[in-house]
PDB file of all heavy atoms in Angstrom:
ATOM      1  N   GLY A 254       3.163   3.252  15.311  1.00  0.00           N
ATOM      2  CA  GLY A 254       3.266   4.692  15.052  1.00  0.00           C
ATOM      3  C   GLY A 254       2.612   5.187  13.787  1.00  0.00           C
ATOM      4  O   GLY A 254       3.054   6.183  13.208  1.00  0.00           O
ATOM      5  N   PHE A 255       1.535   4.527  13.332  1.00  0.00           N
ATOM      6  CA  PHE A 255       0.853   4.988  12.115  1.00  0.00           C
ATOM      7  C   PHE A 255      -0.352   5.876  12.433  1.00  0.00           C
ATOM      8  O   PHE A 255      -0.838   6.590  11.574  1.00  0.00           O
ATOM      9  CB  PHE A 255       0.335   3.787  11.303  1.00  0.00           C
ATOM     10  CG  PHE A 255       1.412   3.009  10.614  1.00  0.00           C
ATOM     11  CD1 PHE A 255       1.816   1.773  11.092  1.00  0.00           C
ATOM     12  CD2 PHE A 255       2.017   3.504   9.466  1.00  0.00           C
ATOM     13  CE1 PHE A 255       2.807   1.045  10.451  1.00  0.00           C
ATOM     14  CE2 PHE A 255       3.009   2.783   8.823  1.00  0.00           C
ATOM     15  CZ  PHE A 255       3.396   1.552   9.319  1.00  0.00           C
ATOM     16  N   SER A 256      -0.864   5.787  13.653  1.00  0.00           N
ATOM     17  CA  SER A 256      -2.163   6.398  13.940  1.00  0.00           C
ATOM     18  C   SER A 256      -2.028   7.766  14.604  1.00  0.00           C
ATOM     19  O   SER A 256      -1.207   7.954  15.496  1.00  0.00           O
ATOM     20  CB  SER A 256      -2.977   5.469  14.849  1.00  0.00           C
ATOM     21  OG  SER A 256      -4.200   6.083  15.153  1.00  0.00           O
ATOM     22  N   PHE A 257      -2.854   8.710  14.142  1.00  0.00           N
ATOM     23  CA  PHE A 257      -2.854  10.038  14.767  1.00  0.00           C
ATOM     24  C   PHE A 257      -3.983  10.159  15.781  1.00  0.00           C
ATOM     25  O   PHE A 257      -4.218  11.209  16.340  1.00  0.00           O
ATOM     26  CB  PHE A 257      -2.988  11.139  13.713  1.00  0.00           C
ATOM     27  CG  PHE A 257      -4.089  10.873  12.726  1.00  0.00           C
ATOM     28  CD1 PHE A 257      -5.413  11.100  13.056  1.00  0.00           C
ATOM     29  CD2 PHE A 257      -3.784  10.360  11.482  1.00  0.00           C
ATOM     30  CE1 PHE A 257      -6.424  10.820  12.160  1.00  0.00           C
ATOM     31  CE2 PHE A 257      -4.795  10.076  10.576  1.00  0.00           C
ATOM     32  CZ  PHE A 257      -6.114  10.308  10.914  1.00  0.00           C
ATOM     33  N   ARG A 258      -4.712   9.072  15.991  1.00  0.00           N
ATOM     34  CA  ARG A 258      -5.826   9.142  16.942  1.00  0.00           C
ATOM     35  C   ARG A 258      -5.286   9.312  18.358  1.00  0.00           C
ATOM     36  O   ARG A 258      -4.308   8.667  18.732  1.00  0.00           O
ATOM     37  CB  ARG A 258      -6.662   7.858  16.851  1.00  0.00           C
ATOM     38  CG  ARG A 258      -7.392   7.750  15.524  1.00  0.00           C
ATOM     39  CD  ARG A 258      -7.849   6.344  15.315  1.00  0.00           C
ATOM     40  NE  ARG A 258      -8.821   5.989  16.338  1.00  0.00           N
ATOM     41  CZ  ARG A 258     -10.061   5.613  16.080  1.00  0.00           C
ATOM     42  NH1 ARG A 258     -10.475   5.510  14.840  1.00  0.00           N
ATOM     43  NH2 ARG A 258     -10.873   5.310  17.048  1.00  0.00           N
ATOM     44  N   LYS A 259      -5.978  10.179  19.099  1.00  0.00           N
ATOM     45  CA  LYS A 259      -5.466  10.547  20.438  1.00  0.00           C
ATOM     46  C   LYS A 259      -5.296   9.320  21.327  1.00  0.00           C
ATOM     47  O   LYS A 259      -4.327   9.205  22.071  1.00  0.00           O
ATOM     48  CB  LYS A 259      -6.408  11.557  21.091  1.00  0.00           C
ATOM     49  CG  LYS A 259      -6.376  12.909  20.384  1.00  0.00           C
ATOM     50  CD  LYS A 259      -6.975  14.009  21.246  1.00  0.00           C
ATOM     51  CE  LYS A 259      -6.840  15.369  20.574  1.00  0.00           C
ATOM     52  NZ  LYS A 259      -7.925  15.696  19.638  1.00  0.00           N
ATOM     53  N   GLU A 260      -6.252   8.366  21.204  1.00  0.00           N
ATOM     54  CA  GLU A 260      -6.192   7.201  22.097  1.00  0.00           C
ATOM     55  C   GLU A 260      -5.152   6.175  21.638  1.00  0.00           C
ATOM     56  O   GLU A 260      -4.964   5.155  22.279  1.00  0.00           O
ATOM     57  CB  GLU A 260      -7.585   6.557  22.233  1.00  0.00           C
ATOM     58  CG  GLU A 260      -8.197   5.994  20.964  1.00  0.00           C
ATOM     59  CD  GLU A 260      -8.872   7.042  20.058  1.00  0.00           C
ATOM     60  OE1 GLU A 260      -8.602   8.249  20.214  1.00  0.00           O
ATOM     61  OE2 GLU A 260      -9.650   6.632  19.179  1.00  0.00           O
ATOM     62  N   GLN A 261      -4.506   6.460  20.493  1.00  0.00           N
ATOM     63  CA  GLN A 261      -3.497   5.512  20.004  1.00  0.00           C
ATOM     64  C   GLN A 261      -2.123   6.161  19.931  1.00  0.00           C
ATOM     65  O   GLN A 261      -1.368   5.923  18.999  1.00  0.00           O
ATOM     66  CB  GLN A 261      -3.883   5.009  18.604  1.00  0.00           C
ATOM     67  CG  GLN A 261      -5.013   3.993  18.626  1.00  0.00           C
ATOM     68  CD  GLN A 261      -5.314   3.443  17.253  1.00  0.00           C
ATOM     69  OE1 GLN A 261      -5.195   4.136  16.261  1.00  0.00           O
ATOM     70  NE2 GLN A 261      -5.709   2.197  17.207  1.00  0.00           N
ATOM     71  N   ASP A 262      -1.804   7.001  20.896  1.00  0.00           N
ATOM     72  CA  ASP A 262      -0.506   7.663  20.894  1.00  0.00           C
ATOM     73  C   ASP A 262       0.603   6.603  20.969  1.00  0.00           C
ATOM     74  O   ASP A 262       0.474   5.608  21.692  1.00  0.00           O
ATOM     75  CB  ASP A 262      -0.430   8.605  22.108  1.00  0.00           C
ATOM     76  CG  ASP A 262       0.731   9.569  21.980  1.00  0.00           C
ATOM     77  OD1 ASP A 262       1.246   9.752  20.848  1.00  0.00           O
ATOM     78  OD2 ASP A 262       1.141  10.139  23.009  1.00  0.00           O
ATOM     79  N   GLY A 263       1.650   6.817  20.182  1.00  0.00           N
ATOM     80  CA  GLY A 263       2.738   5.843  20.184  1.00  0.00           C
ATOM     81  C   GLY A 263       3.979   6.468  19.608  1.00  0.00           C
ATOM     82  O   GLY A 263       3.974   7.629  19.172  1.00  0.00           O
ATOM     83  N   PRO A 264       5.063   5.709  19.545  1.00  0.00           N
ATOM     84  CA  PRO A 264       6.311   6.240  18.970  1.00  0.00           C
ATOM     85  C   PRO A 264       6.097   6.608  17.502  1.00  0.00           C
ATOM     86  O   PRO A 264       5.390   5.902  16.791  1.00  0.00           O
ATOM     87  CB  PRO A 264       7.294   5.069  19.112  1.00  0.00           C
ATOM     88  CG  PRO A 264       6.438   3.858  19.293  1.00  0.00           C
ATOM     89  CD  PRO A 264       5.187   4.307  19.961  1.00  0.00           C
ATOM     90  N   LEU A 265       6.708   7.694  17.056  1.00  0.00           N
ATOM     91  CA  LEU A 265       6.511   8.177  15.683  1.00  0.00           C
ATOM     92  C   LEU A 265       7.384   7.340  14.745  1.00  0.00           C
ATOM     93  O   LEU A 265       8.475   7.738  14.373  1.00  0.00           O
ATOM     94  CB  LEU A 265       6.870   9.664  15.630  1.00  0.00           C
ATOM     95  CG  LEU A 265       6.580  10.437  14.358  1.00  0.00           C
ATOM     96  CD1 LEU A 265       5.124  10.305  13.950  1.00  0.00           C
ATOM     97  CD2 LEU A 265       6.945  11.903  14.549  1.00  0.00           C
ATOM     98  N   ASP A 266       6.890   6.156  14.381  1.00  0.00           N
ATOM     99  CA  ASP A 266       7.713   5.190  13.658  1.00  0.00           C
ATOM    100  C   ASP A 266       7.291   5.074  12.185  1.00  0.00           C
ATOM    101  O   ASP A 266       7.955   5.549  11.286  1.00  0.00           O
ATOM    102  CB  ASP A 266       7.625   3.831  14.379  1.00  0.00           C
ATOM    103  CG  ASP A 266       8.612   2.828  13.842  1.00  0.00           C
ATOM    104  OD1 ASP A 266       8.720   2.698  12.616  1.00  0.00           O
ATOM    105  OD2 ASP A 266       9.292   2.135  14.634  1.00  0.00           O
ATOM    106  N   MET A 267       6.166   4.415  11.918  1.00  0.00           N
ATOM    107  CA  MET A 267       5.568   4.281  10.579  1.00  0.00           C
ATOM    108  C   MET A 267       6.340   3.386   9.612  1.00  0.00           C
ATOM    109  O   MET A 267       6.084   3.421   8.412  1.00  0.00           O
ATOM    110  CB  MET A 267       5.384   5.641   9.880  1.00  0.00           C
ATOM    111  CG  MET A 267       4.494   6.612  10.581  1.00  0.00           C
ATOM    112  SD  MET A 267       4.004   7.953   9.459  1.00  0.00           S
ATOM    113  CE  MET A 267       3.272   9.094  10.608  1.00  0.00           C
TER     114      MET A 267
END
Side-chain angles (χ1 to χ4, degrees):
F255 287 105
S256 178
F257 48 78
R258 292 163 64 120
K259 291 197 176 86
E260 63 279 18
Q261 285 184 326
D262 194 18
L265 188 54
D266 189 314
M267 299 196 191

